[in-house]
Amino acid sequence: MSAASVLREQILSLVRQYHEAQFPVRPFAPGHDLAHYAGRVFDAEELCHLVDSSLDFFLTANRYAERFEAEFSDYLGLSDALLVNSGSSANLVAVTSLTSPKLGERRLKPGDEVLTVAAGFPTTLAPILQNSLVPVFVDVNLGDYTADPNRLADAIGPKTRAIVMAHTLGVPFDLDAVGELAKKHDLWLIEDNCDALGSRYRDRLTGTFGHLGTMSFYPAHHITMGEGGCVVTNDERLARIARSFRDWGRDCYCAGGESNTCGTRFSQQFGTLPHGFDHKYVYSHVGYNLKVTDMQAAIGCAQLQKLDTFIARRRANFDWLLNALRPYEDRLLLPRATPHSAPSWFGFAITVRDGAGFTRAELVRFLEANRIETRSLFAGNLLRHPAFTGIPHRVVGGLANTDTVMHQTFFVGVYPGLDRARLEHMASAFARFMRGERAGGL
């Protein structure tokens, strides 16, 4: 073993000792410690992977990125997984890929319509607008917060070319109905799976039904790289296009450190370039640089080994909280799965019912005063936000439920970092509030 290898082993051994000293497991102190809505869950392996990668000092995507992409595509049962630097970038790459001239008449063009919902996170919607496409909004169901499939069917018009929607908070939308619509009307389908890694529909993983799927590895999500995301597909042509948009728009698809994967680097003709112009510097798209570093991917490799355990803990925490809050269903609309689905829950969504006798603001203030983190269901109604005022769009059937989400819905956590003590503290706070206790002075 070389001197460098010996030193690397010594360093990684010290990293494990550091983790034990720096991140000991401490008992939960109710009212003092936060019951987070989400967060990083990691052990010494993530730190060792991170440091191991840093010692390579390759910095940009390298062996860990290649390993993650291979293992993640295997996990999903798809041909390709392309790491990007965030879930938002994954959505940008996925939508933009469908505008590629390489898709011929099927490419999306400015003015084409895309079906989506307004109750969600802005970066599901933003790439539609950034590509001069026109969003068509339909309302969501209360309880599962996914699009009403009947409204989707009503919304299809002569310019409709795609469906781009999220599996909100891990709840799969009606993939039977959506898939049938996409097939019947020859629509592209992008699943924003950023909230839903591990969710299943008819026992198949979400993110694998559409032409493209997207993932987020932000710390709040099911696994993390810090920042990070992924575009997945089972279509090699789409994968090559997506890789081009991610990698500056270049036509070449060589991996880092390679130079002539296609075998025709100096013998092709592109546009009006001189014959044989170096393929590595031919650009077929107006692209971006949205790659990850190998240090991020290294953390992801360690996290991926824990994914099934994380999913199981999310489901167990959700079930425990659901049982604890059932006595208040007359005042709280509790979350539910869609038919045929098994969510990998991102959060526990609650809508305060009309006539509950209290407001969402009062309940949220009480929970926050008791050190229980809450979050709105993201943007509520995106069309109410300054950034999206005046955008070209259509609304089909009204957005009454979306407005209800904006006024009356929030969520608390079910992530794997919540142990029984934290869940019991959360249930106790809900019980005290339902008995009439309120936060003073907040």
Side-chain angles (χ1 to χ4, degrees):
M1 185 178 288
S2 68
S5 297
V6 171
L7 287 169
R8 183 181 291 250
E9 288 302 317
Q10 291 174 352
I11 290 167
L12 296 181
S13 177
L14 285 170
V15 169
R16 291 188 175 85
Q17 293 177 42
Y18 172 82
H19 173 269
E20 190 173 341
Q22 180 64 24
F23 302 106
V25 177
R26 295 189 176 92
F28 176 62
H32 179 268
D33 294 338
L34 273 170
H36 294 285
Y37 85 97
R40 308 158 300 160
V41 178
F42 65 100
D43 59 26
E45 287 308 304
E46 280 80 355
L47 286 184
C48 285
H49 276 63
L50 174 62
V51 172
D52 188 41
S53 173
S54 73
L55 293 174
D56 290 347
F57 209 65
F58 199 90
L59 301 182
T60 188
N62 190 35
R63 62 183 174 108
Y64 276 114
E66 292 175 7
R67 174 180 154 188
F68 184 89
E69 290 181 341
E71 291 180 357
F72 195 55
S73 59
D74 285 347
Y75 179 84
L76 297 172
L78 297 176
S79 63
D80 289 274
L82 287 74
L83 279 170
V84 292
N85 61 7
S86 73
S88 300
S89 294
N91 284 339
L92 177 62
V93 168
V95 174
T96 308
S97 293
L98 299 183
T99 69
S100 169
K102 291 180 179 291
L103 297 174
E105 288 303 309
R106 284 216 68 197
R107 66 181 291 202
L108 297 182
K109 302 180 185 69
D112 285 344
E113 292 184 344
V114 180
L115 306 189
T116 190
V117 301
F121 199 73
T123 53
T124 307
L125 171 60
I128 298 171
L129 299 167
Q130 288 159 338
N131 281 287
S132 300
L133 306 169
V134 177
V136 179
F137 297 102
V138 300
D139 212 356
V140 297
N141 303 309
L142 295 178
D144 62 49
Y145 308 99
T146 66
D148 180 340
N150 295 319
R151 294 284 184 87
L152 286 170
D154 294 341
I156 291 176
K159 293 185 178 180
T160 306
R161 301 291 305 282
I163 302 173
V164 179
M165 292 195 303
H167 299 298
T168 305
L169 295 182
V171 182
F173 53 74
D174 187 336
L175 281 157
D176 284 347
V178 171
E180 189 174 323
L181 282 176
K183 185 176 181 181
K184 180 179 178 181
H185 298 280
D186 197 22
L187 307 177
W188 294 107
L189 172 60
I190 295 176
E191 296 174 76
D192 179 343
N193 203 55
C194 291
D195 291 354
L197 179 55
S199 292
R200 290 179 179 270
Y201 188 86
R202 294 191 183 277
D203 203 32
R204 177 175 162 186
L205 286 165
T206 57
T208 68
F209 287 78
H211 297 93
L212 293 153
T214 61
M215 313 283 170
S216 173
F217 305 132
Y218 190 69
H221 288 82
H222 295 63
I223 58 174
T224 188
M225 298 181 180
E227 301 289 349
C230 203
V231 179
V232 300
T233 183
N234 213 30
D235 184 322
E236 292 185 3
R237 180 177 60 160
L238 288 177
R240 189 169 294 181
I241 292 170
R243 192 172 288 111
S244 172
F245 277 108
R246 181 193 66 178
D247 299 353
W248 307 285
R250 67 178 187 170
D251 199 79
C252 171
Y253 47 88
C254 284
E258 296 180 7
S259 298
N260 196 13
T261 303
C262 64
T264 54
R265 180 179 171 186
F266 298 110
S267 59
Q268 299 183 72
Q269 180 67 55
F270 295 96
T272 57
L273 286 168
H275 181 75
F277 191 84
D278 188 347
H279 190 212
K280 285 183 74 68
Y281 292 97
V282 172
Y283 299 93
S284 52
H285 299 105
V286 179
Y288 307 91
N289 179 2
L290 302 174
K291 299 189 296 299
V292 297
T293 68
D294 216 47
M295 292 178 286
Q296 291 171 277
I299 298 168
C301 287
Q303 288 269 289
L304 190 55
Q305 303 306 310
K306 300 179 171 75
L307 177 57
D308 287 339
T309 301
F310 288 167
I311 294 167
R313 288 174 64 179
R314 284 178 177 273
R315 288 177 174 153
N317 286 349
F318 178 91
D319 290 343
W320 193 95
L321 206 53
L322 184 65
N323 286 330
L325 300 189
R326 282 206 186 282
Y328 319 121
E329 283 191 287
D330 58 331
R331 287 158 283 178
L332 304 176
L333 176 62
L334 302 181
R336 64 170 182 267
T338 46
H340 316 301
S341 75
S344 174
W345 300 96
F346 180 84
F348 191 98
I350 295 169
T351 297
V352 176
R353 293 184 185 275
D354 293 335
F358 53 84
T359 66
R360 177 184 64 178
E362 289 172 316
L363 176 52
V364 164
R365 281 194 203 104
F366 186 81
L367 295 173
E368 294 279 352
N370 284 278
R371 308 286 289 162
I372 297 166
E373 281 191 333
T374 65
R375 290 292 184 272
S376 296
L377 205 166
F378 307 129
N381 183 346
L382 281 163
L383 285 174
R384 306 283 188 185
H385 289 253
F388 301 102
T389 301
I391 62 170
H393 71 280
R394 285 199 294 127
V395 172
V396 176
L399 298 177
N401 287 346
T402 301
D403 278 338
T404 298
V405 169
M406 180 177 61
H407 290 293
Q408 297 172 222
T409 303
F410 69 100
F411 71 93
V412 294
V414 295
Y415 84 110
L418 294 176
D419 57 12
R420 179 59 62 88
R422 288 169 173 80
L423 291 171
E424 289 178 347
H425 173 65
M426 294 165 68
S428 172
F430 273 97
R432 287 161 49 209
F433 181 86
M434 294 301 167
R435 288 196 297 267
E437 194 173 332
R438 295 292 183 268
L442 293 174

